[in-house]
Amino acid sequence: MLKFTIRRFLSVIITLLVISFLTFVLMHLAPGNPFLSEKGLDPDVLEALNKRYGLDDHLIVQYFNYLKGLVQWDFGVSFKLKGMTVERMIKDGFKPTALVGFYGCILIVLLGIPLGIISALKHNKFIDRFSMFISVIGVTIPGFVFATLYLYVFSAKLGWAPPFGVGTFKHYIGPALCISFFSLAFVTRLTRTSMLEVLQQDYIRTARAKGLSNFKVLYKHALRNAVIPVVTYIGPMIAAILTGSFVIEKVFAIPGIGSYYTESVSNRDYTLIMGMTMFYAVFLVIAVFIVDILYAVIDPRIKYEK
């Protein structure tokens, strides 16, 4: 296990380096410049700005300078927002984004997995068909439609929920529900399918034939195997939800980091693009790393040593 952990940690470092290099190169290969959108910019001023931000250096030199700053937790200064550092922007915007994502993940795990198990155990019964109908709606209808419906019913008509902002717990209910609908529906369907497949295996019939209680058959033999594909999906999903959704944050006017992705690309804000990409990449590779560890915890038959 120790060797596996060390190997995976090294692969995480290499993956992050590859992501940073590819993003950095592709970002600079794209046409445009952070300062070319400024109207009537004098060529001398443009040259001075490029020199000030190191954009006149060779691309490799710029990349290594960026890495040097990254190691020291210096993501650089935003090219568009005056006086703002990228790490400050991420720090200020991450709390509301993470809270929305955290509540959404709680909903997905606490509702999606039990619903999927119940649907599999009540296969072709009313509760199974009803949950599958709801999950189809959750998968097919975009989150912003749910967000609009939520605002119309619970904010405009009933007045139960605040329409925007992040002041109290009530502010997070709508965004958390809307950001979790797709993944909640997907986890429910995935758990149901995986559980149905496991319940038809020979070792489940053998366990029942030995006279084991239904609880032991389900918990010790079926659930552990059925939940592995779900854990595989949930790891990257948590990373994606915790780093925000541009659409949901826009609809509910949440001052999170979700909008930074699109704004940084459209503004050619190089440092913000790199900062957001690396921030998301770190979350994602750590989530995948934890999922790999959890495989062995959930199913001890999975060994990582040769």
Side-chain angles (χ1 to χ4, degrees):
M1 192 68 175
L2 180 62
K3 288 182 180 177
F4 167 77
T5 305
I6 294 172
R7 284 203 307 269
R8 289 293 292 122
F9 180 75
L10 291 176
S11 71
V12 164
I13 301 297
I14 294 171
T15 303
L16 290 176
L17 283 174
V18 171
I19 291 172
S20 67
F21 180 74
L22 289 177
T23 307
F24 196 88
V25 171
L26 292 174
M27 181 179 69
H28 282 80
L29 288 178
N33 181 288
F35 311 115
L36 288 180
S37 60
E38 303 290 339
K39 292 181 179 177
L41 192 64
D42 188 87
D44 293 335
V45 175
L46 177 62
E47 185 180 346
L49 285 171
N50 286 333
K51 188 175 182 180
R52 167 70 179 79
Y53 289 99
L55 297 178
D56 56 347
D57 292 334
H58 192 276
L59 197 59
I60 299 298
V61 175
Q62 292 185 47
Y63 176 67
F64 279 104
N65 285 337
Y66 179 78
L67 282 186
K68 197 187 299 179
L70 202 61
V71 172
Q72 301 169 357
W73 197 247
D74 180 5
F75 287 72
V77 180
S78 170
F79 287 178
K80 286 295 179 181
L81 299 177
K82 193 175 180 182
M84 288 294 288
T85 62
V86 174
E87 60 265 26
R88 173 68 183 276
M89 294 171 70
I90 293 175
K91 182 182 176 184
D92 291 346
F94 182 60
K95 184 180 177 181
T97 297
L99 278 175
V100 171
F102 174 75
Y103 295 136
C105 290
I106 293 292
L107 283 173
I108 293 165
V109 173
L110 292 186
L111 292 180
I113 295 177
L115 269 177
I117 294 172
I118 293 171
S119 295
L121 296 178
K122 303 291 182 184
H123 185 46
N124 282 335
K125 301 284 178 62
F126 170 76
I127 190 168
D128 177 32
R129 291 172 180 170
F130 181 73
S131 65
M132 286 304 98
F133 172 73
I134 297 296
S135 66
V136 167
I137 292 177
V139 170
T140 52
I141 298 181
F144 71 88
V145 176
F146 287 117
T148 307
L149 183 64
Y150 176 88
L151 288 175
Y152 177 74
V153 176
F154 294 102
S155 296
K157 291 297 179 184
L158 300 176
W160 291 354
F164 55 82
V166 290
T168 64
F169 176 73
K170 281 187 177 180
H171 288 89
Y172 291 99
I173 296 176
L177 283 172
C178 296
I179 205 173
S180 64
F181 267 132
F182 176 85
S183 295
L184 174 60
F186 191 84
V187 166
T188 302
R189 295 179 66 83
L190 186 61
T191 306
R192 174 184 178 270
T193 303
S194 181
M195 195 72 178
L196 282 174
E197 187 179 339
V198 169
L199 288 175
Q200 294 171 1
Q201 298 297 315
D202 290 339
Y203 62 86
I204 296 295
R205 296 193 190 96
T206 304
R208 292 188 191 280
K210 285 182 176 178
L212 293 180
S213 66
N214 199 40
F215 177 79
K216 280 189 176 178
V217 172
L218 291 177
Y219 177 73
K220 289 189 68 176
H221 299 283
L223 187 57
R224 284 189 174 186
N225 293 301
V227 84
I228 289 177
V230 182
V231 171
T232 306
Y233 171 76
I234 284 179
M237 177 211 75
I238 289 175
I241 288 183
L242 283 180
T243 47
S245 163
F246 165 70
V247 175
I248 297 299
E249 290 186 1
K250 201 74 176 175
V251 172
F252 287 97
I254 296 172
I257 61 174
S259 60
Y260 290 164
Y261 281 108
T262 50
E263 290 175 3
S264 63
V265 173
S266 60
N267 290 333
R268 297 288 191 275
D269 195 340
Y270 291 161
T271 48
L272 188 55
I273 292 173
M274 287 300 298
M276 292 305 301
T277 303
M278 294 309 297
F279 186 70
Y280 176 73
V282 167
F283 257 90
L284 185 61
V285 295
I286 289 176
V288 172
F289 177 70
I290 293 173
V291 166
D292 287 344
I293 301 294
L294 282 178
Y295 283 157
V297 175
I298 294 170
D299 189 351
R301 294 173 303 174
I302 300 175
K303 300 294 183 185
Y304 295 106
E305 300 290 350
K306 289 185 177 178

